[in-house]
Amino acid sequence: MTFKASSVTLPDLYEASIVELQDGLVKGHFTSVQLVKAYFGRIEEVNLKGPALHAVIETNPIALSQAAALDSERKDKGGRGPLHGIPLLLKDNIATLHEEGMNTTAGSCALLGSVVPRDAFAAAKLREAGAIFVGKANLSEWSGMRGEWGHLKGQVPNGLSERGGQTLSPYYPNAHPSSSSSGSGVAMAVGLAAGSLGSIVYPSSRNNVVGIKPTIGLVSRSGVIPISSHQDTVGPMCRSVTDAALLLNFIAGPDPRDEVTLHQPGIVPDYMKALDKNALKGARLGVPRSFIRNIKIIEEAFNSSLDVFRALGAEIVDPADFPDTKELLTSKAEKRVLDVDFRVDLNKYLSELVDVPTGVKTLAALIEYNKKRADLGLPPPFYKDQSQFIQSEAAQVDDAYFSALAEDFDLGRTRGIDATLAQFNLDAILLPTDGHAPGPAAIAGYPLISVPLGFQPDDVELLPTMASSVYTQAPGLPFGIVFMGTAYSEFKLIGYAYAFEQATHVRLQRRAYDDAIPRTQLTDVMSQL
């Protein structure tokens, strides 16, 4: 759908791509100020009002003045490139300049008003390219590392934070948005910004968008409130593979403040050159069949997609199981590594803050802070749950930790993904995104790309979580397919994902439910002048 302003056809902000928006800015069809106003209007409609999606924690108070400055710069000096004047959202664990007026809190009041020393590296790269951060996206508080998060009774629902409330899916009223970066996923689904950063795979799948989880070491984590330095990374979440590849181009690269990024193999490629509709011709793709969780509707859609890959010239090896499947599904090593990494990495992040009004500068202090104000934090019955915090605080960097780390790398890399690629002579691995798919890549630190695959049917049973009244299964909820490869194989995976996306256009097959779709468009803003 497009909209007309006089003789000019304007993009529909529900689906508008970064390339489309930049084209309109270059041609003078609209300005960045108008674009920011339109996105602000869309956020206002559905974030706290109407369906109350709670996708955005706060908006940038100086975004309009930044947009005006970038409009003037474009007029006087020309544009900086494809992100000049483009409005983006960042997950609320990605630091942005304190003087800009937005907080970086991981959804917690413990860091409200805290002063970060600088932009996160990824944010700085986007800002340098001319992007405008219109707001911070909601998330599972502390990226799901506070208490026991999940669907069972007593567990904290994903997408819930003290500052942002409960994020909800735009595909069915009061439905679950999935995982930590739920706000980024929901915001992209209904067009609350042109692109976003988050962390990445599950919320991309559940919200019908594209997510690229890069290799650990491709994108710096400096300035990002952490989970685990061995597993956690920032990546683009967008409405298309093209937009996600474009953002990855800007945020990838070495950063002295994140030592692992200094070991990248050679120069970072131009990921936009991977966008080839014929990329799947001759590719060998494997299906670890025994790793697929038995969800009939999703498995049927996945199986049907294999014919699409074959039609596009790929050879499907099915089954192509991980040699260590049983161990991957039963290993406890990942939990031990996460417990230790969270304490060590969070304490490092907090220690580098310039100021924290609450005095929370360690995980131990954070636990005490939450105890003293338990009734003011998360809603009951979740507000007392700090079980993950407490486990992490007790975890030690010891022989058991190093053994667990070695086990993760052995299971995920040596005897997992790399062994499977070698044994079956594969270029990449395919799985439904839902279920166990992200596990091997997470412990290996390897890349994943999730692309829309399908939707739950209208007659599917409505299932609430045991943890809350939010639905975990509902009509129309999206799900994705994931492309998995070895370290630094993003270029190849982007090509495969793009070819599949262009052949299927699954995202366009179903829109969000009507009340969740914002009505504000550029024409509305421009008609006000």
Side-chain angles (χ1 to χ4, degrees):
M1 186 182 296
T2 54
F3 295 84
K4 286 203 170 184
S6 65
S7 61
V8 175
T9 300
L10 300 174
D12 178 0
L13 296 183
Y14 182 89
E15 197 62 26
S17 71
I18 293 173
V19 173
E20 280 182 283
L21 295 174
Q22 188 60 240
D23 183 62
L25 290 168
V26 168
K27 291 177 177 175
H29 293 168
F30 48 86
T31 66
S32 290
V33 167
Q34 291 166 338
L35 198 50
V36 169
K37 284 182 177 179
Y39 279 126
F40 276 169
R42 294 173 71 81
I43 293 169
E44 176 74 13
E45 283 184 74
V46 300
N47 193 54
L48 299 180
K49 298 177 182 177
L53 300 177
H54 290 273
V56 180
I57 282 186
E58 62 181 298
T59 53
N60 181 352
I62 63 169
L64 285 170
S65 62
Q66 291 173 331
L70 286 161
D71 284 335
S72 295
E73 180 183 323
R74 184 190 300 278
K75 183 178 178 181
D76 296 339
K77 301 178 183 178
R80 299 185 192 183
L83 295 184
H84 187 120
I86 297 293
L88 304 177
L89 276 168
L90 301 179
K91 183 179 179 181
D92 184 41
N93 68 339
I94 300 172
T96 50
L97 296 172
H98 179 69
E99 54 266 32
E100 190 170 49
M102 287 194 294
N103 292 281
T104 305
T105 67
S108 170
C109 287
L111 293 186
L112 199 58
S114 61
V115 180
V116 299
R118 64 190 72 85
D119 272 334
F121 180 85
K125 297 288 280 185
L126 294 173
R127 192 189 298 279
E128 182 184 0
I132 302 164
F133 306 134
V134 290
K136 292 290 185 76
N138 199 10
L139 69 167
S140 303
E141 189 172 312
W142 297 101
S143 296
M145 293 299 289
R146 170 179 167 140
E148 190 175 0
W149 297 78
H151 300 318
L152 302 179
K153 188 175 182 180
Q155 293 180 332
V156 185
N158 277 306
L160 175 66
S161 74
E162 179 182 359
R163 288 193 62 220
Q166 176 66 61
T167 309
L168 296 173
S169 168
Y171 283 91
Y172 192 88
N174 208 42
H176 195 272
S178 180
S179 202
S180 168
S181 296
S182 52
S184 299
V186 170
M188 288 303 95
V190 294
L192 303 187
S196 72
L197 297 186
S199 57
I200 295 148
V201 179
Y202 282 132
S204 296
S205 174
R206 177 56 71 95
N207 291 289
N208 198 27
V209 298
V210 174
I212 301 178
K213 177 187 179 291
T215 304
I216 299 297
L218 181 63
V219 176
S220 171
R221 286 82 48 85
S222 67
V224 179
I225 301 174
I227 298 176
S228 164
S229 55
H230 292 100
Q231 292 193 24
D232 202 26
T233 188
V234 168
M237 296 172 64
C238 298
R239 287 179 287 276
S240 68
V241 175
T242 300
D243 284 353
L246 179 59
L247 291 190
L248 184 61
N249 262 359
F250 284 94
I251 63 175
D255 172 20
R257 291 192 176 92
D258 186 352
E259 199 267 341
V260 69
T261 65
L262 303 182
H263 305 288
Q264 296 172 1
I267 298 171
V268 175
D270 178 358
Y271 295 111
M272 296 297 280
K273 292 181 179 177
L275 304 174
D276 178 6
K277 290 182 180 181
N278 298 311
L280 284 163
K281 286 184 178 178
R284 278 176 61 89
L285 308 176
V287 177
R289 183 61 58 176
S290 60
F291 217 70
I292 296 177
R293 194 169 66 176
N294 186 26
I295 303 175
K296 183 181 178 183
I297 294 163
I298 294 176
E299 188 168 358
E300 286 177 352
F302 175 78
N303 290 339
S304 295
S305 77
L306 299 181
D307 289 332
V308 175
F309 287 103
R310 293 185 183 102
L312 292 170
E315 182 181 353
I316 301 297
V317 182
D318 182 8
D321 283 316
F322 298 118
D324 57 347
T325 294
K326 186 175 180 181
E327 292 167 273
L328 280 169
L329 293 172
T330 58
S331 173
K332 307 297 183 186
E334 180 181 19
K335 178 67 167 63
R336 182 179 290 273
V337 171
L338 288 176
D339 284 349
V340 175
D341 281 357
F342 181 67
R343 177 179 60 81
V344 172
D345 297 338
L346 181 63
N347 283 346
K348 180 177 184 295
Y349 174 88
L350 293 173
S351 72
E352 294 173 354
L353 292 174
V354 177
D355 183 44
V356 185
T358 61
V360 171
K361 295 294 289 270
T362 64
L363 176 56
L366 176 59
I367 293 170
E368 290 305 309
Y369 171 86
N370 285 332
K371 283 181 181 177
K372 290 175 181 176
R373 57 186 304 281
D375 59 332
L376 300 176
L378 295 178
F382 314 117
Y383 59 82
K384 292 182 180 179
D385 189 359
Q386 299 195 81
S387 54
Q388 182 57 57
F389 280 175
I390 293 166
Q391 290 172 33
S392 291
E393 178 59 25
Q396 299 297 314
V397 180
D398 54 18
D399 289 344
Y401 166 75
F402 289 113
S403 294
L405 192 56
E407 182 178 331
D408 270 357
F409 290 162
D410 179 54
L411 291 178
R413 297 176 182 178
T414 310
R415 293 194 293 129
I417 294 170
D418 289 333
T420 306
L421 294 172
Q423 179 180 337
F424 297 99
N425 190 26
L426 303 175
D427 293 296
I429 292 166
L430 298 174
L431 281 167
T433 307
D434 292 43
H436 306 298
I443 62 175
Y446 284 180
L448 292 170
I449 301 180
S450 182
V451 175
L453 175 63
F455 305 86
Q456 295 283 353
D458 290 336
D459 61 354
V460 75
E461 184 181 3
L462 198 59
L463 295 177
T465 66
M466 294 176 66
S468 71
S469 60
V470 177
Y471 298 114
T472 184
Q473 179 175 289
L477 291 188
F479 51 84
I481 185 171
V482 77
F483 298 76
M484 181 187 304
T486 191
Y488 299 103
S489 60
E490 284 85 354
F491 190 94
K492 183 187 290 188
L493 298 181
I494 287 169
Y496 299 157
Y498 177 77
F500 177 77
E501 173 199 53
Q502 293 302 300
T504 57
H505 292 291
V506 171
R507 172 168 164 77
L508 304 178
Q509 293 173 11
R510 185 163 187 148
R511 286 163 67 91
Y513 70 90
D514 194 60
D515 286 349
I517 299 174
R519 299 304 193 259
T520 302
Q521 296 288 348
L522 278 162
T523 48
D524 301 303
V525 173
M526 295 165 76
S527 66
Q528 295 169 7
L529 299 179

